[in-house]
């Protein structure tokens, strides 16, 4: 676990930003390379996920970890703003914390992960319904304008 913690620290918070209390890691720096940087960060972050599989983390914990990697990679696709989000989100540190929590108390961590996934899926469903309703509303408004 020590190697994973050290890796996550270097990826997400290994470099102090001068004259601030903020820390960044190698991940947001390599993310500055268009196209390849965020993919490389996701692949490197995948090592923590593979170790979690090897250590027997629950599927719920693995899903949350994969989600953190996906958020990190997808945010990085937006030039500059994505790199700032990448520096603040710190997916690797989050994933190591999830794995440590699972190792300390697997039953409690699994229950928390299930609750998180239920809330997440519910939020996605509400968001999808809002987008669908908005699309219908906008489509109806455009149709009314065309038919006038």
């Amino acid at each position: 676990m020590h190697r994973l913690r050290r890796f996550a620290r270097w990826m997400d918070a290994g470099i102090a930003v001068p004259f601030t209390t903020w820390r960044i890691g190698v991940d947001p720096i390599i993310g500055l390379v268009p196209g390849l940087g965020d993919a490389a960060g996701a692949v490197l972050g995948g090592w923590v996920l593979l170790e979690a599989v090897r250590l027997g983390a629950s599927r719920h914990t693995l899903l949350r970890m994969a989600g953190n990697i996906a958020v990190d990679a997808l945010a990085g696709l937006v030039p500059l703003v994505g790199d700032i989000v990448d520096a603040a989100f710190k997916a690797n540190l989050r994933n190591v914390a999830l794995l440590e929590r699972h190792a300390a108390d697997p039953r409690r961590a699994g229950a928390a992960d299930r609750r998180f996934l239920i809330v997440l899926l519910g939020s996605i469903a509400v968001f999808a319904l809002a987008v669908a309703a908005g699309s219908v509303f906008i489509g109806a408004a455009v149709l009314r304008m065309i038919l006038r």
Side-chain angles (χ1 to χ4, degrees), residues 7 11 26-27 30 39-49 92:
F7 169 78
M11 286 296 288
V26 176
D27 188 21
I30 62 174
V43 168
L44 290 169
W47 177 60
V48 177
L49 185 62
N92 295 297

Side-chain angles (χ1 to χ4, degrees), residues 135-148:
S135 297
V136 168
F137 178 75
I138 291 171
V142 168
L143 189 59
R144 272 182 283 188
M145 288 174 53
I146 291 173
L147 295 176
R148 282 188 186 178

Side-chain angles (χ1 to χ4, degrees), residues 45-105:
W47 177 60
V48 177
L49 185 62
L50 289 175
E51 286 297 309
V53 170
R54 190 181 67 75
L55 293 170
S58 72
R59 282 182 278 190
H60 297 101
T61 298
L62 295 173
L63 187 58
R64 282 186 75 176
M65 293 174 75
N68 287 339
I69 293 169
V71 167
D72 191 43
L74 291 173
L77 294 176
V78 180
L80 193 57
V81 174
D83 296 310
I84 294 168
V85 170
D86 192 11
F89 187 66
K90 301 183 184 316
N92 295 297
L93 287 172
R94 286 173 185 259
N95 285 346
V96 169
L98 284 170
L99 184 56
E100 287 174 336
R101 188 187 70 180
H102 179 79
D105 189 356

Side-chain angles (χ1 to χ4, degrees), residues 4 32 90-91 115 125 136:
L4 290 175
L32 292 171
K90 301 183 184 316
R115 284 190 303 273
V136 168

